[in-house]
Amino acid sequence: MASQEEKQSQPFTDIFNEDEAEKSFLLSKPACIIVLGKPCSGKKTLAGKLAQIWKCILIEGKQTLCLEHCIKFIIPFCQELLYKGQSISEELVTEMILKKIESPEVAHFGYVLSGFPSLSEEYMTVSQQMEKIRNLKLKPDFLINIKCSDYDLCQRVSGQRQRPDSGEIYQRNQWDPSLIEKQKKNRDQPEEENEEDEAEAEEMEEEVKMIDQLVQRPEDMLENIKERVGLYKDTMLRSLETHVTSYKNCICIYFRFNKQDELLRVLSSFKLIAPRYRWRRSRWGPVCPVALKNGDIVMGNPELAVSFLGKMYVLSSPEALKMFMLNPRPYLLPPMPMPPCKVLVFGPPLSGRTTVCKLIANKYKGKVAEQVRRYEIEKLMKKNKDRFPGAPEKGGWVVDNFPLSEGHWSALSERGLLPDTVVCLKDTETGVLLYSEGPVTSLLQSKSKSISNLFFGGINILITFSEPFKYRGWELSNEDLDEEAEDLAAEAEAVEDNEAEEEENEEDEEKAKEKKRRMGDTKHFCPVSLKEDYVLYPGLPEHAVKYQEKIYYFSNPEYIDQFLKNPEEYVAHNEPLQAPPLRVCLLGVHGAGKTACARWLADKFGIFHIQFKEYLQELLLPKTKEKIGLDFVEEPEEDDYEIQLQELQGLPQTTTETEDEESKQEVEFTDEEEAIKASLMDAQPLPPEILDNIVPDWWKKEPFRSTGFILDGFPRTPDEAQYLSEQGLCPDIAIYIRIEESDVLDRLLPPRLKKWKERQEKKAENKKKLKDLKAKIRVEDGENDEGSEEEDETANEDIEAILEEEFFEEEEEEPEEEQEADAIERMQNEILERFESERGGIEGVQEELEKISIPLAEINGSRKLRIVRYQVYCKLNPLVENRRSIFEKCYPISLPLAQKMLVFSYKFPSSFGQWDPVKLKEGEIIKPAQNYENTLFPVIHRQYVYFFSSKKNREIFMNDPIKYICQPKPKPPLPVKIAIVGPPKSGKTTVAKKFESAYGLRRLSMGDAIRFVLNNQPESELGLQLNWHLHRGLTVPDELAIQALDVALLDQVCSTTGVVIDGYPVTKKQVNLLESARIIPVKIIELEMDAKEVFRRALLDKESTDRPSYPVHDSPQILAIKNSYYRQHIDAIRTYYNKERQNWCVIDASQSKWWIWDKVLQEVQGIVKEIQIYLERVREGKAASIADLCITPEELQYRLGEFEQYCPVSLADKGELVDCSVTSSLQFAAEFRAHYYKMASQEELDKFLNRPEIYVPPLAPRPLPPQNKLPQKLTAAEVKALFPKSAEMQGYCPVTYLDGKQRYESLVPGNNEYAAKYQDKLYVFESEEKLLKFMRLPEKYWNLKLPNKLPPVREPILLTALPMAGYLEQGVATSLIKALNEVGCLKPKFPFLSVRRTALLFVACHLKAYNARSPAHRRQMYRRRLERLTEHCELIPYLGREMPREYMEPQHRPLGFDLKLQTFLSLKDYTHSFI
């Protein structure tokens, strides 16, 4: 883990700050739509529905005229015209439409415009009208062009009839008797008739009676509508570019509220969106935003309260309410809410009055007026032009020491210049007013009710009087808890199917309550502890504060006061608060393996590992020289035998050890060191005074503070855990590695027992050495006694007796040895005693940590070490990976509630729309389908609603939302159009249906397209023609089928999501028809499969139980015909698309269906991604690759740039003319400024995409030479046609000559196969490589001069004119070498022939068998002879190996031995015939 969390390089997709998100919406452009189409095509109907759905303002010529007339907004001249029965001119209608577009309500809600531009050019031409649209302040986001057939449109309009008395329009099927009778026949089902059908029949009979009264309007006559359609085509119809722009479909809905006692609290709970989602307080509080914008601070009327963007606003008057509802944006945009700055400052001379005035004026861009006279009051009414943009119109003045009398105050009141704020300076030490004159004091007291803010203070008044327009926090009160309880009760009673409820039913009520609480920017952690101490201290619910409708927990009451003084300092603004690094306490008894786990985890996460006991040992090590404590106390190694052995061997060693012991005893410890020593030796808790010098540094000092740590073995006791709580030193999590007694014994007893055994062995060895040494002493003493004088014998015998007596006594007094069983029992008791003591301490630690809400995790430490490590890693890894989201909280909601919130603008739609952010992060390109099968799971995060395709993805997002909102926005979805072809049973329909179910694409076979037309447009011209063929049992012609496909592609799903054309095209004619109809799939997938697999799958399908009940045409004969027909035409189709569109992809269909689906999806996603990148880069004015965009060679040639098909990058960087026309591939082609450019390789393409402007004019360093100075390749036939023109340089290769430094040896004749023409001169080259080099740099090689001395002319010599050796070398050398090589490797020996004759025979057969000029059947005959010769030559080596020296019975001979022996003997007389 790094010293600090690395910030995401990718910015937030959605705005993090809630106020900034609201500001972004207020500044966003509303949806603006224009509906175009042929006359009477349904523009007005569609526009009305769009306006109703999008909550936009409908603007249509007649509609606007009627609306303006009704609200008396129309100009008087128009009123007079209407009263006289005259028509309104086109000029007035156009002006009204444009005026309506500029109205405040349209600026907020947006518009849907229909009927403009109009066909009438009485006032403006169509081009002028389109120019007006382009110059609108609110430019259209969408241009919708309604497409329909001229024939169908004319038939429908000409069939309309009008009822004169009511003006109601009747369609043909409502008045035509034949159609009415046909509908009756379709309805004539007595068995299924119900009351509704009878009522409809009676209604239809009544309408039939009115047929005689219906009339046809002149504009509905067939000739007139045809004329209007023709006029539309001639004057208006043209190609329109559709610009896909991002928008926020956020709609403003207003509510009226009733007056309540506690205004804001009661309003927040009135007409709720849903339980727990109340209306939030705004920064305006009870102040009217319209009045504040106008420069007055006026309290709002509770009866005139509205909600907007989930917040409450209280208006002061009906006029303000109307203006706010028309367009609230001007009143809410920053810098509002801002005081209007109408301030009076009073104070005696030298009291700092003027300084206060200047500070206030500087803060709010106002002007200071000193000693204002009565006649100078008019200056205060003028607008201050120096104020910041968006400031209130009124105000912007600070008056110094005025008014001083009742008359002055009356003058201000008459002109509407009453101040909002009055500052009266006072002595902050004594509390006495500095300005205590009687008239001023009484004036202020009498007018205090008309003053919004009356302050008595010093210089800090600058901050004080702007606080009413800031968010305020308050301690969580009983009213807040009651509201929360009401919400939970209401939510429990709700009938909504909320998945979050199901998950929380299993939890207790308190946890469910905490989970649903809307927590603040630090979640449940104390924000002050985070800011001041950089510690994650879990706050307590009893110490809670509400700020901006969010709840914050605090660790103590003092921090609450500190937060409420300045909450902005402790909350997040434009990004999440930075969390401290990972801090972990790892607990466990001795032998649990915590140290091994801690070291591994510290290395894994890149943090420090602090072993508490080891740290204490290091503090004492300078004095103790060795580690002390229970873990280092060993069994006493010094036994009596070793002491006696040392005494008998000599005293110096013993003396040294005694001195060491004395030196140890002389070491003096301080009180602190004594406490540490006692803690290590007796497991005593350290006092807080000592912990103050050790523990806080790990939280507060570097490098631990910014890196993090794993604290191993601390806290050990409840006192130490309580110390952490009191000092505010909280870990992120405490992990307890739990282990059982048996496991501790299994781990600690064996090593201790092993040491005990080693000591016992050493003790026995010392005992043996002692006995041997004593025996040796006795022997030495005996020898000395014999050689000594007789007078010493008595003395020696006495000494020996004494020694024997002493040794005998020592042996008798030997202590009893400890047996192994006793030692094991003693060690077990010691281990278990320590285990129980440490476990009791850890249980107390757990209780203390639970009090301060530190998360606890228990791990079973009885398993293998690697498993324990992995389990601990799984607990800690989310805390590391999700570190940036540790303070984020998400709230799952139901889909209906999410849609309701978006409709009412309570929450904003995210930039992802309904894309799944998790899938998008994983690389998903195509937007998944949204239907009943694919349910969406919404989540609220901050101010936005996100949608997910599965619960799993929702949980992943909720664990780390920052990770998924810090990614690029999803690119606009594209309607995908692909085709799938292949032989029968290759899986075309399976893949198409998979696309339909997974991504919502429409699957269209040709039969589906025809059925679509017959079901939806049976009376259209196309429908009638299709029925004519089908009713006669004829096949639908390809021309009509393509028209049906074109109509089906206009379906909503096809035009917005995409389509998969299943099994089409299958002939070259169909390809041509698709091209003529401009139906071009971006990718055509060919599922390739052999005939054998086709019939195998057909057989399996027949055995399947899922076969339909009706007969299926899948007999072997029919499949054979279909397969043959497919293979007959597919080559031509594949060749065409590979050459023209380069969108053909072949996939092996013999693989599994999952493999095929993955490959197809990979191909489709790749092409969609390429198109999205292309559109994005072109929209941004950058260069974009055009590979896989289905661009034909003709389109490429038409839009080629200034460099034609030469690489501009190679020309600019290297000066080389690289002709890219040698390949038709567009892999390295790009578009820039509506022109195409081809590059030589990927490297050049990358350079061009990064900086295209430096490679094209006017910044290109080298222009393309004119056409007559470009080199041109020539074929041998073209060179021959240029005769009698001869090659330059007398036919020598100029490239070889110049690259060879113009030496004599470099004069190599060129070949007519490699020729080029440059500046009307002919050059021939040695090879293709030299030709390409010349084509790149013709200026370098074209103007060379030959030397005076040239090589002699080489005339050709006939092969037959060569001598025998030369003839053989040029003619048969290669074949002869191969034959001799075979002879040398095989070393053949034919039976009964010599080696020489055998070799000659083998060479002859080899030459005959591999003679390229011989007929194929002759070569085949001699190859068989050669094989037979080789087989016979192998008989001799075989018989030599297998022939026994003695006779062997036939049954014991090798298999085949007799046959080969007979073959060998038969060749004796066959040799000559074989030769």
Side-chain angles (χ1 to χ4, degrees), residues 899-954:
Q899 294 170 346
K900 186 177 180 181
M901 285 184 172
L902 296 178
V903 168
F904 287 91
S905 302
Y906 190 84
K907 294 291 182 183
F908 298 124
S910 73
S911 299
F912 297 97
Q914 293 193 348
W915 278 86
D916 188 334
V918 178
K919 281 193 172 183
L920 196 66
K921 187 76 173 180
E922 293 172 354
E924 189 71 66
I925 298 297
I926 306 175
K927 188 176 182 180
Q930 299 172 11
N931 48 41
Y932 65 93
E933 295 179 356
N934 301 325
T935 307
L936 295 177
F937 300 91
V939 159
I940 294 178
H941 175 245
R942 303 190 76 84
Q943 285 298 100
Y944 296 93
V945 179
Y946 299 87
F947 296 90
F948 301 90
S949 57
S950 65
K951 289 185 179 180
K952 179 183 177 182
N953 287 358
R954 183 179 68 179

Side-chain angles (χ1 to χ4, degrees), residues 292-297 336-345 356-369 380 382 384 387-388 391-399 417-422 452-453 462 465-466 469:
L292 185 63
K293 180 68 176 178
N294 295 330
D296 299 318
I297 300 179
M336 306 306 295
M338 183 67 70
C341 192
K342 297 189 293 184
V343 185
L344 302 181
V345 181
V356 171
C357 293
K358 291 180 179 179
L359 289 174
I360 296 175
N362 183 58
K363 172 75 174 179
Y364 299 104
K365 304 293 183 183
K367 290 184 178 180
V368 178
L380 302 180
K382 295 182 180 179
N384 188 353
R387 300 204 72 190
F388 41 79
E393 297 180 359
K394 299 179 182 178
W397 45 263
V398 181
V399 178
L417 297 176
L418 290 179
D420 296 312
T421 304
V422 176
S452 301
N453 300 311
L462 181 65
F465 84 92
S466 63
F469 301 117

Side-chain angles (χ1 to χ4, degrees), residues 673-693:
E673 292 170 342
E674 286 290 350
I676 294 174
K677 183 179 178 182
S679 175
L680 292 173
M681 297 297 294
D682 304 326
Q684 296 293 328
L686 291 174
E689 297 80 10
I690 298 176
L691 290 176
D692 288 340
N693 299 328

Side-chain angles (χ1 to χ4, degrees), residues 150 273 499 552 674 733 746 818 912 1104 1442 1458:
D150 294 349
I273 290 284
E499 302 88 350
Y552 292 83
E674 286 290 350
I733 187 173
D746 293 341
E818 185 180 24
F912 297 97
S1104 174
E1442 303 296 337
D1458 293 339

